[in-house]
């Protein structure tokens, strides 16, 4: 659906209907916003992917078409409204409730909350197709393993508390930029006790090791989503400045001083402003990227010379659009 809207946007732009093209882009972005918030991580990732499509399409249209300042301003105003109401931080509420639901289904309740794993509950809950697809001998073997888990696994109270403690930490990590984590040598898997878990730890908390999501990766994508949106707004402001003043601004601070943007966009991978430089008749705008090093606007290319967006090496260049 997102790709369809962006294809329509490019088609409208190719016919000179710029306002209609921008409307399609905004529709794609709004659709992505509906998938975010207190939803599953998969839903939120889909929403962010749609927003990223909208941002990429905006850059393509801006590079391919000469657009007057008033139309750029109208699009920027609408985009800024969406940005102001958007939820860029990942929400883990549904994942947390999923963990609680698993505990509720798989443990006994002794009244005081110190119940134990119900033998066979993990097997049944994770997919009852075993009754059809496997032999009786295999079923007995799996139930025997489940019974062993019930004897050594942490009880209901301890399991619940472990999830609660983990999600409290995760909520704080969503507010910490990649640069701040890099400076602190932060590793989510290590902090959550997921890295190099011993056999005893895994046996004590198997549900914890199974259900905890890939925290660092998901939070990183949310910051990519945010900086991409801010780069679109900044690019629109730079283009408006050029049309109104006759030349590109020397610095991003001039955009704020002239009222084209309210604040300078910050790169989460440096905790400094996005890198902006005037070039010969154009400009470059980029994030230093995941390697936390300013490579002078050089992007990463694969073995075939194709630019890889959000690569681990090189800078993440938003403008100009590099297609090869």
């Amino acid at each position: 659906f997102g790709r369809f809207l962006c294809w329509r946007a490019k088609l409208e732009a190719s016919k000179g209907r710029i306002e209609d093209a921008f409307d399609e882009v905004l529709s794609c972005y709004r659709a992505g916003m509906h998938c975010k918030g207190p939803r599953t991580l998969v839903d939120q990732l889909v929403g962010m992917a749609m927003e990223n499509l909208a941002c990429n399409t905006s850059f393509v249209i801006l590079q391919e078409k000469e657009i007057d300042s008033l139309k750029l301003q109208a699009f920027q105003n609408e985009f800024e409204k969406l940005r102001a109401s958007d939820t860029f931080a990942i929400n883990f509420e549904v994942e947390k409730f999923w963990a609680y639901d698993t505990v509720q289904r798989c443990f006994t309740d002794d009244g005081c909350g110190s119940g134990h794993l119900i033998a066979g509950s993990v097997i049944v809950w994770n997919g009852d197709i075993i009754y059809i697809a496997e032999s009786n001998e295999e079923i007995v073997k799996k139930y025997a393993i489940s019974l062993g888990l019930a004897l050594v696994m942490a009880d209901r109270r301890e399991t619940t508390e472990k999830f609660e403690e983990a999600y409290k930490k995760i909520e704080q990590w969503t507010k910490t930029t990649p640069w701040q984590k890099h400076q602190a040598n932060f590793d989510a898997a290590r902090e959550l006790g997921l890295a190099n878990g011993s056999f005893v730890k895994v046996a004590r908390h198997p549900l914890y090791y199974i259900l905890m999501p890939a925290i660092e990766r998901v939070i990183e994508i949310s910051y990519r989503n945010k900086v991409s949106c801010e780069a679109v707004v900044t690019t629109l402001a730079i283009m408006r400045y050029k049309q109104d003043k006759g030349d590109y601004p020397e610095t991003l601070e001039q955009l704020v001083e002239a009222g084209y943007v309210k604040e300078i966009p910050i790169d989460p991978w440096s905790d400094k402003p996005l890198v902006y430089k005037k070039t010969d008749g154009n400009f470059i705008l980029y994030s230093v990227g995941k390697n936390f090093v300013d490579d002078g606007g050089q992007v990463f290319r694969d073995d075939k010379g194709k630019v890889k967006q959000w690569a681990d090496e090189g800078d993440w260049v938003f403008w100009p659009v590099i297609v090869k």
Side-chain angles (χ1 to χ4, degrees):
F1 177 65
R3 292 184 184 279
F4 172 72
L5 288 174
C6 290
W7 286 335
R8 283 181 50 130
K10 293 175 183 177
L11 180 61
E12 296 290 1
S14 70
K15 296 180 179 179
R17 297 195 286 262
I18 301 301
E19 293 96 335
D20 293 337
F22 285 156
D23 284 344
E24 298 290 358
V25 170
L26 293 170
S27 293
C28 180
Y29 195 97
R30 291 190 191 97
M33 289 176 63
H34 283 297
C35 297
K36 297 168 68 178
R39 302 178 187 275
T40 67
L41 289 183
V42 172
D43 286 328
Q44 294 178 74
L45 288 169
V46 168
M48 288 187 287
M50 293 183 69
E51 291 181 352
N52 190 55
L53 278 172
C55 291
N56 289 344
T57 303
S58 299
F59 287 124
V60 170
I61 293 173
L62 293 173
Q63 180 153 288
E64 294 296 326
K65 294 293 180 180
E66 287 286 340
I67 305 171
D68 66 65
S69 183
L70 290 177
K71 292 178 181 178
L72 292 175
Q73 182 177 1
F75 183 48
Q76 180 182 338
N77 290 342
E78 292 301 316
F79 217 105
E80 286 183 323
K81 289 178 184 178
L82 293 179
R83 182 182 64 172
S85 60
D86 201 354
T87 303
F88 290 107
I90 290 290
N91 187 299
F92 288 95
E93 286 297 311
V94 172
E95 303 300 316
K96 180 170 67 175
F97 288 135
W98 187 6
Y100 289 163
D101 179 67
T102 302
V103 173
Q104 178 70 17
R105 291 170 181 270
C106 298
F107 283 76
T108 64
D109 186 355
D110 293 341
C112 60
S114 58
H116 295 275
L117 182 72
I118 302 170
S121 62
V122 175
I123 298 172
V124 174
W125 187 77
N126 278 337
D128 55 7
I129 59 170
I130 61 170
Y131 293 108
I132 300 174
E134 299 181 359
S135 66
N136 290 333
E137 182 179 347
E138 291 171 324
I139 293 173
V140 170
K141 181 180 178 180
K142 286 196 172 184
Y143 268 89
I145 294 173
S146 182
L147 178 60
L149 281 176
L151 295 174
V152 302
M153 188 172 166
D155 62 27
R156 179 191 185 107
R157 182 190 299 278
E158 186 179 347
T159 300
T160 302
E161 289 176 349
K162 191 169 183 65
F163 277 116
E164 288 177 348
E165 180 183 358
Y167 278 105
K168 283 181 181 178
K169 292 180 180 179
I170 292 169
E171 185 177 351
Q172 293 299 317
W173 295 339
T174 61
K175 305 170 186 176
T176 308
T177 67
W179 171 253
Q180 291 166 345
K181 292 186 178 79
H182 174 68
Q183 289 294 92
N185 194 26
F186 174 83
D187 184 282
R190 182 184 64 231
E191 295 293 329
L192 292 173
L194 298 173
N196 301 319
S198 67
F199 174 80
V200 175
K201 288 182 178 179
V202 175
R204 287 283 292 168
H205 297 282
L207 295 179
Y208 179 81
Y209 282 86
I210 293 171
L211 296 179
M212 290 305 295
I215 303 299
E216 283 184 281
R217 182 65 172 167
V218 174
I219 294 178
E220 176 192 301
I221 293 173
S222 72
Y223 275 99
R224 289 186 343 203
N225 179 229
K226 184 175 187 292
V227 75
S228 183
C229 176
E230 292 179 342
V232 171
V233 172
T234 305
T235 300
L236 289 165
I238 294 170
M239 290 183 161
R240 289 173 54 213
Y241 188 101
K242 167 68 163 54
Q243 291 195 27
D244 296 343
K245 308 290 186 181
D247 195 5
Y248 292 113
E250 296 295 331
T251 64
L252 293 180
E253 284 82 357
Q254 288 185 343
L255 293 177
V256 179
E257 294 168 359
Y260 286 87
V261 292
K262 295 179 181 179
E263 57 187 8
I264 298 173
I266 300 299
D267 181 2
W269 281 266
S270 68
D271 276 358
K272 297 177 182 179
L274 287 175
V275 181
Y276 165 79
K277 299 176 184 177
K278 285 179 62 177
T279 59
D280 186 15
N282 204 343
F283 66 93
I284 185 169
L285 182 71
Y286 62 88
S287 161
V288 300
K290 195 172 180 178
N291 64 357
F292 303 100
V293 176
D294 187 344
D295 294 302
Q298 295 298 312
V299 298
F300 175 81
R301 297 178 183 273
D302 62 20
D303 295 338
K304 297 181 179 179
K306 185 176 181 181
V307 176
K308 183 179 179 181
Q309 188 181 33
W310 313 120
D312 292 347
E313 301 295 329
D315 295 326
W316 296 341
V317 177
F318 300 108
W319 190 270
V321 179
I322 302 175
V323 295
K324 292 184 180 179

